[in-house]
Amino acid sequence: PVSITEVRPGIFVYDMGQNFAGWAQLTVSGPSGAEVTMRYSENITTDGKIDRSNIAECGVRGGDIQTDRYILKGEETEVWEPRFTYHGFRYVEITGFPGIPMLDSLRGRVVRSAFESAGNFACSNELLNSIQKCTLWSYESNFMGIPTDCPHREKNGWTGDAMLACETGLFNFAAESAYAKWMTDFADEQRPSGQLPGIVPTGGWGYNWGSGPAWDSAYTHIPWYMYLYSGDIRILETHYSGMKRYVNYMSSMATDNILYFGLGDWCPPQPRTNKNIPPAALTSTGYYYANCRILAQAAELLGHPEDMELYSELARQIKDSFNAKFYNPENGRYADGGQAAQACALFHELVEPEEQEKVLASLKEAIAEKDNHPWFGILGAKYVPNVLADEGYADLALTMLTQTTYPSWGYWIEQGATTLWENWEGDTSRNHIMFGDVSAWMYKTLAGITPDTSSPGFRHFAIRPRVLRGLDWVEAEHKSMYGPIRSGWHIAEDSILFDIEVPVNTSATLYLPAKDPQTMMEGGCPVAESEGIQVAGMEDGYVILSAGSGVYQLTVRII
């Protein structure tokens, strides 16, 4: 703990300085039979008392939630901690302590699934570093054998939360075996019809509320991400039949290839208005289309050509129906033209090529209308930043992430957040991971480390760092199956210096911002003369290089 305060006589509140999942270890001495009570909370009131109102009305039926009690034996010094529970908290209230507790009378114990670190990211912008730190704390706080929504209230395996944060998890942690275990829970919970609940595992609820394509798609997307990041095809082999059964269930629920069930873009800014939120049918149908494409690719990999043709054709039909239902070619808008609606269509590649520029322009208009602030929920939080980066507007995405006024990730940091929140307002849970794709975005966009679908497991990959105004340097590492991948850059007086490592037995395509290969050096030599690197061409202000395994220090002169 960083501080202890006696808020009323005999009532002491410890501040751990960090919101996390775990418990408190108590060191105490006193008479036999004395009872010490510890109550855990994320928040405190203005007068320093613990405040649990943000979780009291959601998923809690009464009783001593977030509470531990210890009855003393009467020994000289007793050290005790609970063994069969965990809590989510920053603050601990202690009552019944014999005498006056000291700062070292309580120790915070952090708990999570025991996977190793697999990556790190840092940059010159301390706000982004704080967002990365908050994301890691939320991810770790919400992986307890299964990925959960929150560590204090429900502790449920909400499927949408985990799917949206999966790439962040795989960049930062060696979590493949934990995800593989959770996928077996999906297989256990899937009904013969193919239907899935919104929480896995479930005590029986979640099939008819809390589910829907954007949540259930964890059963298709997480195996696909695992294959993409590890190269291990067995996860697709194991769950192919279940994935197929779920997509067939979606087809049985569709009306003219449109799905009308699901939660939609959950937790947008409040108050909710129809103008700001896409219809759930739009996002649900977007995931229906994405699932068909994943299933078609898995069918091809696993040697099921008939399935590949079937689901490729179904995807084409869904795309046609989606555009007929939601797209207005006169103004380039899907549904009401909000940020999430536009980005959903672009993210899932549902937009026809000739309409791409109009839809992108409408997305930028929707962002400008909100003064470059995020105006979406958890689905848009994955769609919008990734679409902007892919379409050449990573600088706009960075502006949205780092706004320090409501709503934004940066706004949370300004409010003192040490973990990611459940909603932009912060009036419910303050330790959720569902807005956590932001970390994966940093790896892929700012450091540029990107897996290659055609060569999974980073056997081949791309490095395409975006050098953006307001950043002086970026450093990132991902420990792939072949070894560490490193991508870093920093701006010198008249040059950009890139440090890149490509592991043994892999290769990479490097996209470095330069107008001409002649402005580039590697290890003090012109890049064209460097061993291990070949100039492969130019594309949209980038020089394309093919690199074999090695450690490269490249200099690009700023013209």
Side-chain angles (χ1 to χ4, degrees), residues 131 135 160-161 163-168 214-215 225 264-269 276-278 283 287 338-345 347-348 363 367 373-390 396-398 400-402 407-410 412 420-424 432-442 444-445:
I131 294 171
T135 303
D161 303 39
M163 180 192 70
L164 295 168
C166 182
E167 287 191 276
T168 281
W215 273 247
Y225 289 141
D265 194 22
W266 193 246
C267 288
N276 303 320
I277 307 168
T283 53
Y287 273 103
Q339 294 178 22
Q342 299 300 101
C344 173
F347 180 83
H348 290 306
L363 171 60
I367 294 170
H373 283 71
W375 210 268
F376 43 67
I378 60 175
L379 304 184
K382 189 170 181 77
Y383 299 152
V384 174
N386 283 286
V387 164
L388 290 174
D390 289 345
L396 179 54
L398 181 61
M400 298 177 77
L401 296 178
T402 54
S408 182
W409 290 265
W412 289 342
L420 303 183
W421 295 354
E422 183 180 14
N423 62 15
W424 296 118
H432 259 61
I433 190 55
M434 60 192 188
F435 282 96
D437 186 65
V438 60
S439 173
W441 183 88
M442 293 184 203
K444 290 188 289 186
T445 302

Side-chain angles (χ1 to χ4, degrees), residues 20 65 141 150 160 178 200 237 251 314 344 385 397 457 465 489 507 526 537:
F20 66 97
I65 188 171
S141 296
C150 56
V200 174
E237 293 172 339
S251 296
L314 179 54
C344 173
W489 55 267
S507 62

Side-chain angles (χ1 to χ4, degrees), residues 96-223:
F97 192 94
I100 303 297
M102 299 291 103
L103 201 61
D104 60 0
S105 298
L106 211 67
R107 185 183 183 200
R109 305 282 269 170
V110 180
V111 63
R112 65 163 170 85
S113 289
F115 32 62
E116 299 297 322
S117 172
N120 56 74
F121 175 91
C123 68
S124 60
N125 185 310
E126 284 306 314
L127 182 56
L128 287 178
N129 291 336
S130 294
I131 294 171
Q132 167 72 357
K133 182 180 177 182
C134 286
T135 303
L136 298 185
W137 274 106
S138 284
Y139 187 86
E140 293 179 272
S141 296
N142 283 293
F143 218 124
M144 304 290 169
I146 62 169
T148 64
D149 62 327
C150 56
H152 40 60
R153 190 181 67 200
E154 302 170 45
K155 301 181 171 76
N156 275 322
W158 280 100
T159 55
D161 303 39
M163 180 192 70
L164 295 168
C166 182
E167 287 191 276
T168 281
L170 294 174
F171 265 119
N172 287 289
F173 300 100
E176 288 84 1
S177 60
Y179 282 120
K181 182 271 173 196
W182 196 44
M183 291 300 101
T184 64
D185 295 339
F186 275 74
D188 289 342
E189 300 290 10
Q190 189 174 35
R191 288 175 169 172
S193 65
Q195 186 182 17
L196 289 164
I199 57 169
V200 174
T202 176
W205 70 281
Y207 287 96
N208 297 318
W209 188 89
S211 58
W215 273 247
D216 307 338
S217 293
Y219 197 32
T220 53
H221 281 62
I222 291 179

Side-chain angles (χ1 to χ4, degrees), residues 253-260 281 285 288 318 321-322 325-326:
M253 296 288 289
T255 302
D256 297 327
N257 297 316
I258 304 296
L259 288 175
Y260 291 92
T285 305
Y288 182 25
I318 295 168
S321 298
F322 181 91
K325 174 73 175 177
F326 299 111

Side-chain angles (χ1 to χ4, degrees), residues 233-286:
I233 201 170
R234 291 176 298 175
I235 190 71
L236 297 177
E237 293 172 339
T238 300
H239 294 285
Y240 178 77
S241 61
M243 293 162 61
K244 180 178 174 180
R245 192 157 53 247
Y246 179 67
V247 172
N248 291 344
Y249 169 75
M250 296 172 84
S251 296
S252 74
M253 296 288 289
T255 302
D256 297 327
N257 297 316
I258 304 296
L259 288 175
Y260 291 92
F261 71 105
L263 295 179
D265 194 22
W266 193 246
C267 288
Q270 301 291 340
R272 281 173 166 263
T273 65
N274 291 333
K275 181 174 174 52
N276 303 320
I277 307 168
L282 184 145
T283 53
S284 292
T285 305

